[in-house]
Amino acid sequence: MDLQELKSHRRGLMIILSSPSGAGKTTLTRQLLSENQKMTMSVSATTRKPRPGEIDGKDYFFVSKEEFSNMIDEDEFLEHAKVFDNYYGTPRGPVEEALSQGHDVIFDIDWQGAQQLTQAASDDLVKIFVLPPNMQELEKRLRSRAQDSDDVIARRMSKSEAEISHWAEYDYVIVNEDIDLAMAELSAVIIAERQKRKRQLWLGPFVKSLVQGG
Ligand code: 5GP
């Protein structure tokens, strides 16, 4: 019996990472993806304009309001929400495909998306909230991106407090003061969640053959 082959028969996790903008979620996500081959990022559709350096199809699918509302009508979203003045949504197809192949999927979505996915797919979900060590650090990180105007940054800061108020709806909370420590904590959560009995579909056949002396 090939243990590695058996172990690959597992349910993929749906990992929601929410945080106020600037808490370090993007860095954490990139590192997770580079360390885990069987992990994919859900690419959302948005009506917001691309920031410099953002790539259509990689960072987001940048769509018009009309295209977005057609996608809603065609039931193409797992969840969708209005964040700031724009619409954001998670396309259903790629997520279902990745999960069926036993891949974990990371969602960079806000608390509204987390609530909607909880209703739709709670068994596969792991909800993680990333907090900044303090609000000054958050503002500093937002400013160092130098991509948004003062006005936008001020609005993002005030929205951050609203986002943070939903921290208790998450399974895990990581305070990102030190990126290496935060990464270690995040990896520990994911490793533990993968070990949950209900997610290891291969255990039944494995134990059966174990007791039969296979
Ligand atoms: P940004 O415009 O900075 O890329 O994202 C703004 C906010 O929208 C972030 O809090 C992000 O997590 C959230 N967001 C991005 N994609 C989605 C999505 O598909 N659904 C929901 N509900 N929120 C999203």
Side-chain angles (χ1 to χ4, degrees):
M1 182 180 28
D2 183 344
L3 198 54
Q4 289 314 315
E5 152 70 16
L6 264 182
K7 276 182 151 182
S8 67
H9 295 279
R10 66 176 184 91
R11 287 169 81 91
L13 297 173
M14 297 170 76
I15 303 163
I16 298 185
L17 272 180
S18 297
S19 74
S21 304
K25 184 175 51 179
T26 310
T27 312
L28 291 170
T29 309
R30 279 207 198 110
Q31 206 161 325
L32 263 186
L33 288 170
S34 75
E35 289 174 8
N36 292 272
Q37 283 170 354
K38 286 192 152 194
M39 194 176 266
T40 48
M41 181 85 201
S42 164
V43 180
S44 298
T46 182
T47 58
R48 137 163 116 55
K49 297 274 167 288
R51 297 198 188 106
E54 283 185 331
I55 298 169
D56 187 34
K58 184 167 172 282
D59 297 290
Y60 281 105
F61 295 106
F62 295 100
V63 299
S64 65
K65 284 206 168 121
E66 196 187 344
E67 283 170 301
F68 197 94
S69 93
N70 285 340
M71 290 175 82
I72 295 176
D73 293 344
E74 299 292 323
D75 198 25
E76 286 180 32
F77 288 126
L78 268 180
E79 63 76 37
H80 59 89
K82 192 175 183 192
V83 187
F84 306 116
D85 294 327
N86 298 300
Y87 294 90
Y88 295 82
T90 304
R92 185 189 296 280
V95 173
E96 287 177 352
E97 166 140 17
L99 288 175
S100 72
Q101 291 171 355
H103 286 208
D104 299 324
V105 183
I106 306 184
F107 299 85
D108 170 350
I109 60 179
D110 79 333
W111 63 271
Q112 303 175 78
Q115 283 189 352
Q116 289 181 49
L117 286 191
T118 303
Q119 280 163 15
S122 62
D123 264 10
D124 296 325
L125 273 192
V126 182
K127 292 184 281 184
I128 305 169
F129 200 88
V130 182
L131 284 172
N134 54 58
M135 295 309 266
Q136 290 83 351
E137 182 65 25
L138 193 74
E139 183 164 359
K140 202 172 102 195
R141 289 182 196 164
L142 279 183
R143 288 198 180 280
S144 71
R145 288 182 184 172
Q147 287 173 349
D148 293 319
S149 64
D150 275 5
D151 184 41
V152 171
I153 287 175
R155 281 207 301 148
R156 281 178 183 266
M157 282 303 289
S158 70
K159 287 274 179 186
S160 294
E161 284 175 28
E163 183 76 25
I164 288 172
S165 73
H166 290 274
W167 68 277
E169 292 161 29
Y170 288 72
D171 304 314
Y172 300 92
V173 179
I174 292 173
V175 180
N176 182 15
E177 184 171 28
D178 174 286
I179 191 74
D180 292 334
L181 180 59
M183 192 59 215
E185 290 170 347
L186 184 56
S187 299
V189 165
I190 292 170
I191 290 167
E193 285 287 336
R194 282 185 186 144
Q195 296 311 118
K196 281 196 168 157
R197 177 173 42 77
K198 68 177 181 190
R199 302 227 164 88
Q200 302 196 71
L201 301 178
W202 59 281
L203 272 179
F206 170 72
V207 174
K208 198 168 164 199
S209 79
L210 201 63
V211 295
Q212 285 167 355

